[in-house]
Amino acid sequence: MSETLTVVSSHKSFGGWLKRYRHKSSTLGCDMTFAIYLPPKTARGEQVPALYWLSGLSCTDENFSQKAGAQRLAAELGIALVIPDTSPRGKDVPGDPDGAWDFGHGAGFYLNATREPWSRHYRMHDYVVHELPALVEKTFPVNGKRGISGHSMGGHGALVCALRNPGRYLSVSAFAPISNPMNCPWGEKAFSRYLGPDRATWREWDACALIAGATEKLPLLVDQGDADDFLASQLLPEALERAAAAAGHPLTLRRQPGYDHGYYFVSSFIDDHLRHHAQALLG
């Protein structure tokens, strides 16, 4: 892990600061950009917990920081927001061979690839769970208490990161997650390339499969718009609902009438999610 950070931008927001940095990731073998929102408490020398936000297909860190409207309440609560990119990038990082938007650059799926040429760079799980928090907690005034959330592919990532790493996070939530990726077109495309054809190995990266053996039962908060164009074919929240019920895993799945898949939806309910995380991170 490189600890040399280059400032990309810095903006004051609700008394705190939203800063973007670039650094060399040893996990991903390329330069990475991430954003962090530091609430006003940190300027007074106080340490705060951090909520990690994972964005969706084709996004960067800027989608959330510019569109979700999370800084206002994060400033009030005293929670840092850490927002990584969605995949490794650069001329030496392979993307989709056909130039498609749902694989490769912008579509790392928050897993550790095992197949060449992807395994050389696509290890977003280890980056999000280990390398980036270690860098953040050494560099910034955060106290090591972590929550994780995300949208769409990032919602899948948030669920999987929490389920695979008991004790690492105190809270988890998701907006319109790809709940059962091994059984939807986006997930099947990504998993077959990143992990190979053996579907048994896919289960390690599927929230519905992981819930069955979860040793920690963090309550899951999930919001899903019922006017989401991807609801029936890609997101499959009913599969998550069945898996949680079978395992006795606490799940609050809220179906929101009229909402689609975009950031108007996320921004409408982001405060609920921040308060959900604050109960665990600040309690």
Side-chain angles (χ1 to χ4, degrees):
M1 178 183 70
S2 173
E3 296 180 0
T4 301
L5 293 177
T6 301
V7 178
V8 177
S9 63
S10 180
H11 302 281
K12 194 165 188 179
S13 177
F14 294 99
W17 288 90
L18 178 71
K19 298 175 180 284
R20 296 184 78 213
Y21 293 92
R22 184 178 298 113
H23 75 111
K24 179 71 175 179
S25 167
S26 59
T27 300
L28 303 177
C30 65
D31 287 342
M32 289 295 288
T33 299
F34 72 93
I36 183 168
Y37 177 69
L38 296 169
K41 280 185 175 182
T42 61
R44 301 193 293 268
E46 297 183 48
Q47 289 198 328
V48 297
L51 174 62
Y52 288 76
W53 173 270
L54 308 184
S55 297
L57 287 166
S58 78
C59 291
T60 69
D61 61 284
E62 291 186 290
N63 295 76
F64 180 76
S65 61
Q66 294 179 2
K67 297 179 179 180
Q71 292 94 322
R72 180 191 60 79
L73 187 55
E76 179 184 323
L77 294 170
I79 294 175
L81 305 173
V82 182
I83 316 159
D85 201 351
T86 50
S87 78
R89 299 182 193 265
K91 62 182 179 62
D92 297 325
V93 177
D96 188 283
D98 302 316
W101 58 271
D102 59 355
F103 182 80
H105 298 166
F109 269 82
Y110 304 102
L111 50 69
N112 292 334
T114 57
R115 306 282 283 198
E116 292 290 346
W118 323 110
S119 60
R120 285 173 284 176
H121 298 285
Y122 285 83
R123 302 186 61 81
M124 284 298 293
H125 180 81
D126 280 358
Y127 176 73
V128 166
V129 173
H130 300 294
E131 183 179 9
L132 183 58
L135 178 59
V136 165
E137 289 165 17
K138 182 166 185 173
T139 308
F140 301 100
V142 296
N143 60 19
K145 294 182 179 180
R146 311 175 198 96
I148 192 163
S149 186
H151 172 232
S152 193
M153 177 187 70
H156 142 75
L159 296 174
V160 167
C161 287
L163 289 165
R164 284 176 57 96
N165 297 278
R168 186 130 186 103
Y169 302 97
L170 297 179
S171 55
V172 59
S173 73
F175 288 82
I178 304 173
S179 296
N180 191 198
M182 62 187 294
N183 289 312
C184 76
W186 281 339
E188 289 175 337
K189 177 179 179 178
F191 284 13
S192 63
R193 294 183 181 186
Y194 289 138
L195 304 172
D198 182 1
R199 293 178 67 93
T201 66
W202 298 7
R203 296 178 60 83
E204 300 174 28
W205 305 102
D206 187 295
C208 290
L210 291 169
I211 279 178
T215 58
E216 179 183 52
K217 296 188 183 299
L218 286 181
L220 310 179
L221 172 62
V222 175
D223 273 305
Q224 173 63 62
D226 73 359
D228 191 319
D229 290 340
F230 304 113
L231 177 57
S233 60
Q234 303 282 10
L235 305 179
L236 311 181
E238 65 280 359
L240 183 66
E241 205 165 34
R242 288 194 299 268
H249 198 113
L251 167 66
T252 300
L253 174 57
R254 309 193 306 184
R255 291 175 170 86
Q256 303 292 0
Y259 286 90
D260 61 21
H261 197 67
Y263 266 86
Y264 293 112
F265 161 58
V266 173
S267 63
S268 296
F269 301 102
I270 190 64
D271 283 5
D272 290 352
H273 284 245
L274 288 171
R275 290 190 175 98
H276 165 79
H277 290 279
Q279 286 184 336
L281 296 174
L282 303 172

